[in-house]
Each structure stands twice: as C-alpha cells, then as structure tokens.
Amino acid sequence: MTVKRGPGRRPGSADTRGEILAAARRVFAEKGFDKATVRGIAREAQVDPALVHHYFDTKEGMFAAAMRLPLTPEVVVPALLDGPREEIGERLVRLLLEVTATPETREPMIALIRSAMTHEYAASMFREFVSNALLFRVADTIGVPHLRIEAAFAQMFGVVMARYVLRLEPMAGAEPEELVELLAPTIQRYFTP
Amino acid sequence: MTVKRGPGRRPGSADTRGEILAAARRVFAEKGFDKATVRGIAREAQVDPALVHHYFDTKEGMFAAAMRLPLTPEVVVPALLDGPREEIGERLVRLLLEVTATPETREPMIALIRSAMTHEYAASMFREFVSNALLFRVADTIGVPHLRIEAAFAQMFGVVMARYVLRLEPMAGAEPEELVELLAPTIQRYFTP
C-alpha cells in the first residue's frame, strides 16, 4: 500500500490505529454517523485517507471500532447465512446472546444505548448506525423487509435491556438455551415474510 | 367512610389527593416500591391511612398514579380477559399501542424508563413495580409462566423504544394495524405455553 505524505500528515506508527479511532470518535460526535466521512476523519487524525482504509474497510467498521461495538454487518451477515434458512432465527438469537454475555462486549453497546435514550444527538447517531448501517444492510442481504427486521431488533433489544439493565428475574438468570428456545421462533417468523 | 383525625392529621381537602401523591412520590423515591407502605405514605402526607385507601385501592394503583403511569393490573387484566383466548396477543398489542400513542400517557412511562436505564435506584424501583406488581400479577391471573410474560414485555418494550425514543423508520411511522398484524402472533405464542 502506498501512503502519500503531505504537510502535517504523519506516517503509520505503533498507535496510528488508536489515533484514527480517537479522531473518528471526535468526528462522529460532531457530525453524526451519516455526515462523517473517511476523508474528514483522516484530516482530523492528520493521516492519509489511504491509511484509514488500510486499518478499516468501511465507515461502519470504523464506527463500530471507535464505539467498541462488537456487531457490524461483516459479523452478523455471515453468521446468519452460514446454515439452513429455517434456522436463521436461532442463529441470530444465539449470536446476540453470546455477544452480550461478556461484559467487555456488552458494556459499550449498553453505554451507547443509554446515551441514545437520554440525548437526542446520540439517539440520531444510534438511529443512523443501527438502521442504515446495520439493520437495513442485513435485511437487504438476507431479503427481509425493513419493518420486520426492526421488529426482530425490538425483541432482542428488549431482551438485552430486561436481562442486563433492568435485570428482571427470571429473564436475567435464564439459561441461554432456554432463551434460544423461547425467542428463536419469533425471529424466524419475522425473517420469513 | 369514617376518617379518624389524630394530632397533625388533616381532613380531606380539595387537593388532598394531590398531596397524597406528592407524599407517595417522596416515599417511593426514598424506600423503593417494595418497601414503601400505605401507612408510611399516609404518615408522610399527614393523613389517615383510611383516607389513602379511599383514594387508591392498592399500592400499585397509587404508584401508577404518582408516576402518572397509565398501566396497572386493574387496566391490563380485564382488557386481556375480555374476549377469546386466541386473540389475547392481539388485544395486548392493541392496548399498548393505544396507550403509547398519546404523549400524555406515553411520556411518563418513557421518563420512568429513562431513569431506570441510567440510575440503579430507579432501575430497582422499575423492576419491583414492573415485575412484581404488573407482569407477575397479569401472568398469574391469565396462567402464563413468568419468563414468557417477560419475553412479551421485552418485545413491546423494544417496539415502544424503537418507535418513540430511537425513532427508527419505518417502525416509527408504521400504522398501528400493521404493527398489530406483525406483533400479535408473537405475543399470542408467548401466552400459549
């Protein structure tokens, strides 16, 4: 990969990736998800856009990394497509329960949701990322109408909130397999238009 | 109704109900839902407990009134039982969409949820009210296991959040009847063990 160096541009260094992510967090916070650009983030980080592309394939991937979110279309889509279509609901429920079971991957998601619940600006960034970058891309790839993937999102969003934030029993202490059995048919139905 | 008047007790006046509710908000905030008592709220309001019972049949009803919540077991249970068992999911979805359609009834619920998402104390009060006073009483009356009513709660909680707080399109602008058609079978399945 050729990296052009202009005035004020720095070459890749040990923590260039970290500097790009810090710049990305500032730019996303200032412009929101839709209006932020790879070019603008490169400028903020004082690096060449090609270097940003070297570390992050897509703006979605950079946002997820900057917000420390474990879920991107690149993670979700292959997991959904890897197996029989009639078990897609089960695979999604299992993936989401696994990702949220670990505090290291769960807490950044919950932090973003908390901000989105209480600040309109964070809500609009969450909305742009979740709907345009995550849900609609997954929905369009697997052929599910947008309203139906949002119904599935609402189900799993509610489960994660009830289990980890509100900590309603018996939901909070339920075994993952019990939840898979209960929830997978719901998601399967939304994904079978 | 006979109201005993002791030292420092005030008789019913034009805004006695409002004073009891203000006292209830202070006591619920201090003690949480489970530990608050009608007697303690009467003491805080400097009225006889019988007067509190005159205005509010139950602690749940008082909490709902104090927090301006439109949903109590007294509202939900009759709506669910009033019709064929195989349409109970449809009746619940329709009731919740109607109650949340009006800002006056929706906003106090969302305010309580916002607090519960960001303050552990409010989360524990929300947990006690929603699970013990609302969900479990409804579940036990209509014969549904607690985990299943919480799955139904999670679905509708997620829909209300997606529609009114995160404002994800097309969920936010969807017609109520379209949502009833999409969501009623989910709730019906949870309510049919």
Side-chain angles (χ1 to χ4, degrees):
Chain A
M1 191 192 68
T2 308
V3 178
K4 290 183 209 155
R5 294 177 195 173
R9 303 274 170 111
R10 291 175 302 184
S13 73
D15 65 348
T16 302
R17 187 175 183 278
E19 286 168 13
I20 292 171
L21 287 179
R25 275 189 287 273
R26 292 193 296 274
V27 172
F28 284 127
E30 189 192 329
K31 296 193 177 294
F33 179 76
D34 282 352
K35 287 187 184 163
T37 61
V38 169
R39 185 163 294 276
I41 290 167
R43 199 181 309 119
E44 173 74 18
Q46 298 187 294
V47 299
D48 194 278
L51 192 61
V52 176
H53 280 298
H54 166 71
Y55 285 108
F56 306 100
D57 283 340
T58 59
K59 185 167 78 165
E60 289 74 28
M62 189 158 39
F63 182 84
M67 302 297 167
R68 299 183 184 83
L69 299 178
L71 295 173
T72 63
E74 288 70 31
V75 170
V76 176
V77 168
L80 293 187
L81 295 182
D82 180 29
R85 178 82 194 194
E86 64 272 21
E87 294 168 11
I88 197 168
E90 183 179 327
R91 286 197 297 281
L92 180 64
V93 173
R94 195 161 274 137
L95 171 69
L96 293 177
L97 290 176
E98 279 168 11
V99 162
T100 55
T102 315
E104 287 73 35
T105 47
R106 180 178 70 238
E107 287 307 326
M109 300 170 68
I110 289 180
L112 190 66
I113 291 167
R114 281 204 170 98
S115 304
M117 298 279 298
T118 46
H119 299 92
E120 174 46 36
Y121 194 84
S124 95
M125 193 157 72
F126 186 86
R127 182 186 311 134
E128 290 165 358
F129 175 72
V130 166
S131 55
N132 299 343
L134 188 57
L135 296 182
F136 295 171
R137 280 188 50 197
V138 172
D140 295 347
T141 308
I142 63 176
V144 168
H146 290 182
L147 185 63
R148 286 178 162 262
I149 203 164
E150 288 183 352
F153 165 81
Q155 173 70 81
M156 296 309 298
F157 176 92
V159 166
V160 171
M161 291 299 101
R163 195 163 156 84
Y164 293 109
V165 178
L166 305 172
R167 293 205 306 281
L168 299 187
E169 292 295 353
M171 178 74 80
E175 290 298 325
E177 281 312 305
E178 194 177 8
L179 293 175
V180 170
E181 198 181 321
L182 190 59
L183 302 167
T186 298
I187 308 303
Q188 187 67 34
R189 186 181 144 264
Y190 293 143
F191 281 11
T192 313
Chain B
M1 193 194 68
T2 308
V3 179
K4 290 183 208 154
R5 294 179 193 172
R9 305 273 169 112
R10 293 174 301 185
S13 72
D15 65 347
T16 301
R17 187 175 181 282
E19 286 168 13
I20 293 171
L21 287 180
R25 276 189 287 272
R26 292 193 296 272
V27 172
F28 284 127
E30 189 192 331
K31 295 192 178 294
F33 179 76
D34 282 352
K35 287 186 183 164
T37 61
V38 168
R39 185 163 293 275
I41 290 166
R43 199 180 310 119
E44 174 75 18
Q46 297 186 294
V47 299
D48 193 280
L51 191 61
V52 176
H53 281 296
H54 166 71
Y55 284 108
F56 306 99
D57 282 340
T58 60
K59 186 167 78 166
E60 289 75 28
M62 188 157 40
F63 181 84
M67 303 297 166
R68 299 182 184 83
L69 299 177
L71 294 173
T72 63
E74 288 69 31
V75 170
V76 177
V77 169
L80 293 187
L81 296 181
D82 180 28
R85 177 83 192 195
E86 64 272 20
E87 294 168 9
I88 196 168
E90 183 179 329
R91 286 197 297 282
L92 180 65
V93 173
R94 196 162 271 136
L95 171 69
L96 293 178
L97 291 176
E98 279 169 11
V99 162
T100 54
T102 316
E104 287 73 35
T105 47
R106 180 177 70 237
E107 287 307 328
M109 300 170 67
I110 288 179
L112 190 65
I113 291 168
R114 282 204 170 98
S115 304
M117 297 280 298
T118 46
H119 298 92
E120 174 47 35
Y121 193 85
S124 96
M125 192 157 73
F126 187 85
R127 183 184 313 135
E128 291 165 358
F129 175 72
V130 166
S131 55
N132 299 343
L134 188 57
L135 296 183
F136 296 171
R137 279 187 53 199
V138 172
D140 296 347
T141 308
I142 64 176
V144 169
H146 290 182
L147 185 62
R148 285 178 162 263
I149 203 164
E150 288 183 352
F153 164 81
Q155 173 70 82
M156 296 310 298
F157 176 91
V159 166
V160 171
M161 290 301 100
R163 196 162 154 84
Y164 293 109
V165 178
L166 305 173
R167 294 206 306 281
L168 299 187
E169 292 296 353
M171 178 74 79
E175 290 297 326
E177 281 312 306
E178 194 178 8
L179 293 175
V180 169
E181 198 181 319
L182 189 60
L183 302 166
T186 297
I187 308 302
Q188 186 68 34
R189 185 181 144 263
Y190 292 143
F191 282 11
T192 313

